[in-house]
Structures are given as structure tokens and as C-alpha cells.
Amino acid sequence: MDGVVQLQKQLVDYIASLFHEGFLDEQFNQLQQLQDESNPDFVVEVVSLFFEDSERLLNELAKALEQKTIDFRKVDAHVHQFKGSSSSIGAHRVQKVCIAFRNYCEEQNVEGCLKCLQQVKHEYSLVRNKLETLFQLEKQIIAAGGSLPAT
Amino acid sequence: MTVENQRAGVVVEDMDQDRFPAGMRVLAVDDNPTCLKLLDTLLRKCQYQVTTTNQAVMALKMLRENRNKFDLVISDVNMPDMDGFKLLELLGLEMDLPVIMLSGHSDTELVMKGVTHGACDYLLKPVRIEELKNIWQHVIRRKKFDSKVQNNSLNEDKACHGAGDSRLGVISTLSADQDGKLCRKRKEQNEDEEEDDEENEHENEDASNQKKPRVVWSVELHRKFVAAVNQLGFEKAVPKKILDLMNVEGLTRENVASHLQKYRLYLKRINSVAAQQASMVAALGGADSSYMRMGSLDGFGEFHSLAGSGRLSSSALSSYTPGEMLGRLNSHASLVLRGITSSGLVQASGQNLSSSINTLGQIQPTPLPSNQSASLFQGVLTSLELTQLQQSKCTSSTGDFNPIKDSRGFTAVSNGFSDTRVTVGSSTSLLPGASSHPLVLQGNPQLPDDRGAFVNQYSLGVASLTPDTFDIGGGGCSNFLDHSNNESWQSAIQLSRFSSNAVPLRHELHIKAKMGRTQTGLQSKLEPHCQYQKFCGFCQWYNKSLGPQFGPK
């Protein structure tokens, strides 16, 4: 089962690199630890929820910032949500951008907000790709009969 | 996310004592689905029984349906359909469940707000499992505190504000000497009833473990309740009488008693907020008299800070304005603590005070500039040294204080938080603004002295009434816990920033208060007291603000 071992190593390295590059943080470890026999797909479920929610939030944000008169409180509320969910799954870089985003909202800085919106979209798509790759790897391992490496 | 009943669909006990904290039933509320899912899993990992909802309205509905279904509520702060703090307050008022706030914000003000609104704890997202592993302590704590307070309130109610509890008993006995006999009688009464109360308490405790239809304090019901309380007069509001006035079928005296307790707590909190606000206003500077006012409020606020509820904080107060407070008060089915709220309003200004009082519409006393405080004081001080006050030659307020003689009111208020702080504080705040205040204040101090037990906590409140209130009474308050000495009193006084220019008259009363003796022995007390003149904050303040209007006797 060389293939499985290789895949497993790949997975471990991949996750390590994600941590290293700041895409994920400690919180993601917590998620993985919560996954067990009674809850085997927990991480995938939570992250999927995160993806869904994030898409929605990003749409709302884009809409809110397109308005003639921007309701910064609304924008702030959305960003706050986004920050909450990204911190919950450990999407570290997304969370950081959200923090900056909120500052601009407080200052009612339209340009800053728009810039942050782009940034957060970018970071989000990055981390999304990374996580999807990660899940793919995991699927492959399981399909090949292996087990996921312990975190 | 289903609630798994431990026993064939019937919730027999609130907690499975054997496995606790495992099996503790938690209701989690968060509009963020990611966070909610995470919270759900974390809680399950802690072996709690979890129910989740992403709507505060839904949560409220579930809780109202069956309060006994849950032991603990965890709620997010920012929710679209209802503010987390609002939910928190409703939960605190309607049902006695511990609530933990959850938020991505870590601002101190928000945390403070959570605490003042009655949250047991405030957690930051992302939540860690270690923190959740400990939340069960809040349930235990709440249950213990509740049964204790319930006992006190029961005792108090039975004793007609006399206080079944030894401490409460002291309060009633603390009322002026003139009421001594009456108080003693009440005390005996209390003692007799104490047994009953204990039985009741046991019953309550048992009842709480049994399936018992919980009363949902709807807005309507609460309105009736408040109307009844106002009709009776805050000091005279006994659960039994309130119950009769409300005339609601199925409502028991115990229900009313515990609700009254919470109501007082709420008012106290509001009051302290107002007091703190007053202190803040004071901090901004003002005339001596206004300073006095603020000082007292300040002390009051501090006082409250010392209170067990621990919900007060200046930062929290900053979020309030007198008007806002009023609004809040009014919004809570006129949850207005007459004396207390008025004390909070006192700070605003004489005018505001009267208008506030009028607005509140619950201030018994007539809102007169000079009497305002007296009246406010009236409402609050009820059982406080009214006689003392009268003796203290509070001309304007003498008449007003009559009703205050009723020690019941005092204890009744104090029951709100198992000590007389509330009343004390409120009365304190009332004091400012009237020349009679100093006298009143002086009268108050006597309370603790007269009855030892009272001093424990209640003296704290009384102490706050005294000069301490003019200063940051917080520090002093804690000192007063020591009944037997006036040392704490003194230290409290010393805390005040005022120089000492004692006027014999005031000192007289002051001494009375401090020494806890009757007027007869006053003369001899003058000397011992004089040594405090330098630090006697009250006298300092008095001198400063009112000058030698009250000349030597």
C-alpha cells in the first residue's frame, strides 16, 4: 500500500504547509480533534457550511457596498459574521482581512471597504481551494483503504 | 439537534445529579450556521445535551414552553432578529436560567454590558472546548444562590418585610428605636415563620426538582405585577398582597416572591447604572450640592458594584442616560424602582428628578425639589432610620419620612438582592439635593449600629447612605460589613474626600449612627466622634456644601 502511505504523507505535508502559510490556524486543529467515530465527517460538514455561508455573506457585502448610500452598520454586521465563521473554522487569513475590513467600516471609509472586499474575496477563494484540495486528498486516502493520519 | 430526554420523554429532574455535568441541557442560539454547528459539536463533546436554534425568537419560544427543559442557555450577542442582550434580559426576568453570552467582539464595554444584563459569563469566538467544559458551574451556582435567596425572600415576605433571615431580621429591627418594639415583635414573628419558610424553602427546592408548571411572566402578567407593586407601595409590596391584587389564577405566592426578587434586582441594577451615571456626571464637575448628589450616587453606584449581582460598572452606565434609563425602565413594564430609580434620576437635576419621578409615576413621595430626595428617599429608605431621620430634624423631610418608617420596605427592597444595598443606595442618592439630606444620611448610619446583624451586608447599604455615598462609597461599603465596629464605618467615612468641619448637630446624628446609640447618650459621644471629624466625609461634605446652616444645637 505504498500509494496510501504516500498519500498520507502528502496530506500531512499539505496540512502543515497550510498552517505554515497562515491559511489555517490552531482552530482547524480543534475541528479535526472533534472529528471522531460518532462524528466522522465533522470537518467536512462544518467547512461546507462555512463555504455556503461565506458565499452568501460575500454577495451581501457586494450588494451593500454597491449602494448609493452605504449602510456601514449593515456592512459591519456582515463582516462581523464572516469574521466569526472564519475564525470558527480557523481560516486565519480570511479572519485577518475581516478585522481590517471592520476598521474601515468604523471609519466609514468606502474605498478601504471596497479594497477589503476584494481582499477578502481573494483570500476566501484561496482558502477554499486549499481546503477542497485537502478534502480530495482525504477522500483518496480513504478510497484507497487507508485511514486519515491522526492530527 | 434533538433534545434527548433522559427518561422516557419525561424530564423529571433538572439535572441528572449522578452524571452531572454530563447530560446538562444546553440551548445554543447563534445565527451564524458555522459557529452554531461548531458550538453544537463542542457541547456534545462535553457530553451535554444540546438543542440549537439560529433564531432568538425561537429560543425564547422554546424556553417559554418549558423552562424546565434547559439548564443553561448560550447565546450569541449579534443576532438579526433580536439583540443578544435583550434576549439575555428577558431570560433573566422571565426564567431564572443562567445565560452565557458569546461573541466575536471582545470590547470591554460589551462584556460589561453582558455582565450588567445578567450574563453568567461572556465567551469569545472561536469558543474553545476548555471553556465549555466549565460552564456547568454557572448552573450549580445559580441553583444554590436561588435557593438561598428564595429562602430569604420567603422569610422576608412572611415576616412582612421583617426578614425571616437573621440578617434580614436585623434590618427590620434596625428601624429606629421607636420601632424597636414593633421590630422585635416582627422578629419574633419572623422566627416563628422562619420554620415555615424553611419548610417552604425545602418545598421549593423539591419542587424545583419536580416537574412543576413554571409561570411564564408574560408582559401582561408582569404589567399586572408592577401595577400591584405600585399600588401597594414599593416598600409594602409583599408577595401575598401582590398576589391578591393581581388576582391571577394559578399564580402562587412563591411565583410572585421570586419574581419580586428579580424585579428588585433589576431595579437595583438600573439604579446603580443611574447612580454610576450620576457619579460620572459628578466627575465632570459640578456644584457642591450637585456634587453631593453625584457623590451619593457615586457611592451608590459603587455600592452597587459591591453588590452581589456584580453587574454594575461605570462603563455599562455610560451607555445609559437618565432618559434612556427611564425608557428602559418603562419598557420593562415600568420596572421602576421608585426610590432607586429616582435616586438614579436624582443625579440629573432637581427638575429632571421631579419629571423623572413623574414620568415613572411610581414615586410615592411628592416630587418637590426640597422634598424630592426626601420622597425618593422615602420610597427607598422605608424601613431605614425614618425615625432617625425625623429625629435628625429633617424639617422638610420629616413628614415625608413617616412612611419610611416601615422597615418592611427596606427589607423588601433589600431582598431584591438579599441585602439592603438597593434600598440603601437608592436612599442615598435621594439624599442629595435637600438640605435635610445630611440629616437623613445621619439617620441612616444608625441602622447598622442598632442591629448588629444588619450590618453584615445591609449595613453596607446603609453605609453607603452615609457620607460614603458622597464619596466613592464603594470602598466604604465593603467595610461596613463588619457590623460591630464603626471602624469600617469610619474607614468608609475616611474614604470620603471631604475635610472635616463637623457641625455638632450633624455630628450628633453622625455619632448616633456610628455609635448606634440613642440620642440620650449623644452628648458623650460627641467627644469620641470628634476624633473623626477630620476624616468624617459626611461632615466635610456637609460643611462644604451647605455651610453652617445647621448651627450647633
Side-chain angles (χ1 to χ4, degrees), chain A residues 68-126:
Chain A
K68 286 235 170 82
T69 23
I70 298 179
D71 183 356
F72 282 102
R73 270 194 314 182
K74 208 165 161 206
V75 177
D76 184 71
H78 289 314
V79 177
H80 178 66
Q81 278 247 325
F82 203 7
K83 177 172 164 249
S85 52
S86 58
S87 69
S88 294
I89 65 141
H92 188 71
R93 280 162 59 151
V94 176
Q95 186 188 357
K96 280 218 301 222
V97 179
C98 284
I99 294 174
F101 202 153
R102 290 199 69 228
N103 285 336
Y104 283 122
C105 283
E106 267 186 56
E107 298 166 12
Q108 307 218 342
N109 183 334
V110 182
E111 271 191 42
C113 285
L114 288 170
K115 197 174 64 148
C116 274
L117 179 61
Q118 291 312 313
Q119 256 186 308
V120 85
K121 269 187 177 163
H122 177 67
E123 289 295 339
Y124 166 71
S125 57
L126 276 180

Side-chain angles (χ1 to χ4, degrees), chain B residues 203-412:
Chain B
E203 276 174 17
N204 277 343
E205 283 175 330
D206 291 342
S208 68
N209 289 336
Q210 293 160 15
K211 194 174 183 185
K212 154 175 98 171
R214 291 287 279 268
V215 174
V216 172
W217 282 91
S218 64
V219 175
E220 219 17 77
L221 201 60
H222 183 72
R223 211 176 286 151
K224 276 192 185 166
F225 168 80
V226 177
V229 169
N230 293 339
Q231 200 174 329
L232 287 167
F234 191 77
E235 322 78 52
K236 288 201 166 71
V238 204
K240 184 80 180 75
K241 290 190 186 161
I242 297 173
L243 184 65
D244 294 337
L245 269 178
M246 284 176 72
N247 195 21
V248 171
E249 217 181 83
L251 197 65
T252 68
R253 201 193 61 79
E254 280 74 32
N255 296 136
V256 177
S258 67
H259 193 71
L260 180 64
Q261 190 182 312
K262 288 181 217 160
Y263 182 63
R264 291 191 192 122
L265 272 166
Y266 174 79
L267 291 175
K268 176 179 66 115
R269 175 162 58 81
I270 298 295
N271 202 15
S272 65
V273 167
Q276 291 235 358
Q277 217 177 352
S279 63
M280 279 167 59
V281 178
L284 294 176
D288 278 341
S289 56
S290 61
Y291 177 78
M292 169 173 63
R293 234 173 291 163
M294 317 244 184
S296 64
L297 287 173
D298 194 351
F300 183 68
E302 292 287 338
F303 172 65
H304 276 286
S305 308
L306 295 173
S309 65
R311 299 174 187 170
L312 313 172
S313 67
S314 41
S315 58
L317 291 174
S318 59
S319 64
Y320 286 96
T321 62
E324 185 182 330
M325 189 178 67
L326 270 180
R328 282 179 53 81
L329 292 168
N330 288 333
S331 69
H332 286 273
S334 59
L335 270 181
V336 175
L337 180 62
R338 287 177 225 180
I340 296 178
T341 50
S342 54
S343 64
L345 299 169
V346 171
Q347 152 232 333
S349 70
Q351 290 174 351
N352 289 350
L353 190 54
S354 48
S355 61
S356 325
I357 296 172
N358 289 331
T359 312
L360 293 174
Q362 296 179 0
I363 310 284
Q364 281 179 340
T366 52
L368 297 172
S370 63
N371 292 335
Q372 264 182 349
S373 49
S375 54
L376 291 173
F377 190 62
Q378 219 178 3
V380 178
L381 279 183
T382 57
S383 58
L384 285 181
E385 314 284 331
L386 278 186
T387 56
Q388 301 284 345
L389 295 173
Q390 291 173 345
Q391 291 164 6
S392 61
K393 294 157 186 124
C394 283
T395 48
S396 60
S397 35
T398 302
D400 293 338
F401 288 122
N402 282 325
I404 304 179
K405 259 195 199 180
D406 181 8
S407 60
R408 293 178 298 175
F410 183 84
T411 53

Side-chain angles (χ1 to χ4, degrees), chain B residues 349-492:
Chain B
S349 70
Q351 290 174 351
N352 289 350
L353 190 54
S354 48
S355 61
S356 325
I357 296 172
N358 289 331
T359 312
L360 293 174
Q362 296 179 0
I363 310 284
Q364 281 179 340
T366 52
L368 297 172
S370 63
N371 292 335
Q372 264 182 349
S373 49
S375 54
L376 291 173
F377 190 62
Q378 219 178 3
V380 178
L381 279 183
T382 57
S383 58
L384 285 181
E385 314 284 331
L386 278 186
T387 56
Q388 301 284 345
L389 295 173
Q390 291 173 345
Q391 291 164 6
S392 61
K393 294 157 186 124
C394 283
T395 48
S396 60
S397 35
T398 302
D400 293 338
F401 288 122
N402 282 325
I404 304 179
K405 259 195 199 180
D406 181 8
S407 60
R408 293 178 298 175
F410 183 84
T411 53
V413 177
S414 62
N415 274 334
F417 50 129
S418 67
D419 65 45
T420 58
R421 287 180 205 166
V422 176
T423 42
V424 177
S426 49
S427 53
T428 317
S429 52
L430 292 174
L431 293 177
S435 58
S436 59
H437 285 160
L439 298 178
V440 172
L441 282 177
Q442 293 169 339
N444 293 329
Q446 213 166 6
L447 276 179
D449 292 328
D450 286 339
R451 326 294 170 181
F454 175 71
V455 176
N456 288 333
Q457 297 172 329
Y458 308 108
S459 58
L460 243 193
V462 175
S464 60
L465 285 174
T466 53
D468 286 343
T469 59
F470 294 127
D471 192 291
I472 306 288
C477 289
S478 49
N479 290 336
F480 287 95
L481 284 175
D482 184 358
H483 149 65
S484 47
N485 0 315
N486 294 322
E487 285 165 6
S488 57
W489 187 270
Q490 293 167 20
S491 52

Side-chain angles (χ1 to χ4, degrees), chain B residues 133-149:
Chain B
K133 284 214 167 107
N134 276 334
I135 56 177
W136 56 268
Q137 61 178 289
H138 299 296
V139 180
I140 297 282
R141 209 179 287 149
R142 178 69 65 115
K143 283 210 180 279
K144 270 208 156 156
F145 178 72
D146 270 358
S147 68
K148 218 197 265 180
V149 176

Side-chain angles (χ1 to χ4, degrees), chain A residues 12-147:
Chain A
V12 171
D13 288 343
Y14 190 61
I15 294 180
S17 74
L18 290 183
F19 275 94
H20 190 67
E21 290 165 20
F23 284 105
L24 298 175
D25 62 20
E26 175 59 29
Q27 184 65 18
F28 192 74
N29 272 337
Q30 299 258 337
L31 289 186
Q32 288 182 310
Q33 282 171 16
L34 284 174
Q35 184 161 292
D36 54 22
E37 306 79 39
S38 63
N39 218 342
D41 298 317
F42 174 63
V43 183
V44 177
E45 283 173 15
V46 172
V47 174
S48 307
L49 266 177
F50 170 67
F51 289 158
E52 270 178 47
D53 201 33
S54 303
E55 305 280 331
R56 181 185 64 87
L57 283 171
L58 284 172
N59 280 337
E60 294 286 330
L61 277 170
K63 259 201 310 193
L65 286 172
E66 275 168 13
Q67 303 296 316
K68 286 235 170 82
T69 23
I70 298 179
D71 183 356
F72 282 102
R73 270 194 314 182
K74 208 165 161 206
V75 177
D76 184 71
H78 289 314
V79 177
H80 178 66
Q81 278 247 325
F82 203 7
K83 177 172 164 249
S85 52
S86 58
S87 69
S88 294
I89 65 141
H92 188 71
R93 280 162 59 151
V94 176
Q95 186 188 357
K96 280 218 301 222
V97 179
C98 284
I99 294 174
F101 202 153
R102 290 199 69 228
N103 285 336
Y104 283 122
C105 283
E106 267 186 56
E107 298 166 12
Q108 307 218 342
N109 183 334
V110 182
E111 271 191 42
C113 285
L114 288 170
K115 197 174 64 148
C116 274
L117 179 61
Q118 291 312 313
Q119 256 186 308
V120 85
K121 269 187 177 163
H122 177 67
E123 289 295 339
Y124 166 71
S125 57
L126 276 180
V127 80
R128 183 185 176 130
N129 285 338
K130 302 280 181 185
L131 285 170
E132 281 177 343
T133 311
L134 193 145
F135 292 145
Q136 284 288 2
L137 264 177
E138 286 184 346
K139 265 197 207 153
Q140 281 181 312
I141 293 175
I142 296 182
S147 60

